[in-house]
Amino acid sequence: MKLSQLEAFLAIIDTGSFSEAADHLGLSQSAISRALIKLETELDTKLVERHWDGAKPTDIGTEIALHARSTLKQIEIIQQKTAKRKGITKGKLNLGIALGITPRVFTSLIREFQKTQAQSLDT
C-alpha cells in the first residue's frame, strides 16, 4: 500500500469524481484509476462505486477513508516535526484568490507570507 494510493482514494471520495480528483492532485485520470485499482486489489475489496452522478465510497470504503485520513495526518505531523528540527517550516497551504487579485498583488502577498514565516522561525 502506497501513500499516493491513499491520497488518490481520498481525493476521489472528497471530490466525488475521478476527473476532479486527478485535477486536485495534478495527475491524469488514468493514474487516479490505476492507484485505486491497485489499492482495491491489495485490500481485496471494492472501496469506490462509480455511479452516473459520480463516485461514492462503499460502506467499507467510508470506514477505510477515516483510517486513511488519520494515517496521512500522522505522516504529515512526522514530516513537520523532522523539518522543524532542521529549521524548516513544512506543511500544506491552501489558497483562494478573489477574481480582482492580479498576479502582481498575489506575488507580493506570497512574499509577505514567506517573510512572516521566516521571522517566526527566528524567534
Side-chain angles (χ1 to χ4, degrees):
M1 183 179 319
K2 295 181 179 179
L3 298 178
S4 59
Q5 293 168 340
L6 294 177
E7 290 170 337
F9 166 58
L10 292 176
I12 293 165
I13 290 174
D14 291 344
T15 62
S17 162
F18 282 72
S19 301
E20 288 182 39
D23 288 343
H24 177 73
L25 294 177
L27 299 170
S28 67
Q29 185 175 343
S30 63
I32 294 292
S33 294
R34 282 193 307 273
L36 179 65
I37 289 167
K38 287 180 181 180
L39 182 60
E40 288 178 330
T41 300
E42 184 173 338
L43 296 175
D44 193 27
T45 192
K46 190 161 187 73
L47 299 173
V48 174
E49 292 181 357
R50 294 180 193 219
H51 297 282
W52 66 270
D53 60 342
K56 306 222 186 293
T58 61
D59 289 340
I60 189 67
T62 300
E63 288 183 50
I64 298 296
L66 292 172
H67 296 289
R69 285 186 206 288
S70 176
T71 299
L72 292 174
K73 181 63 179 169
Q74 293 301 314
I75 289 168
E76 184 178 345
I77 290 168
I78 290 168
Q79 290 171 337
Q80 288 173 347
K81 288 188 179 288
T82 55
K84 188 174 181 179
R85 283 187 151 267
K86 298 175 187 174
I88 302 168
T89 301
K90 185 172 183 163
K92 292 182 180 176
L93 175 64
N94 294 317
L95 299 173
I97 302 173
L99 291 175
I101 301 292
T102 64
R104 180 181 227 159
V105 171
F106 178 70
T107 303
S108 68
L109 290 172
I110 293 296
R111 284 193 186 113
E112 186 63 34
F113 174 78
Q114 289 172 328
K115 286 179 193 174
T116 304
Q117 290 301 305
Q119 290 170 354
S120 69
L121 284 176
D122 293 338
T123 58

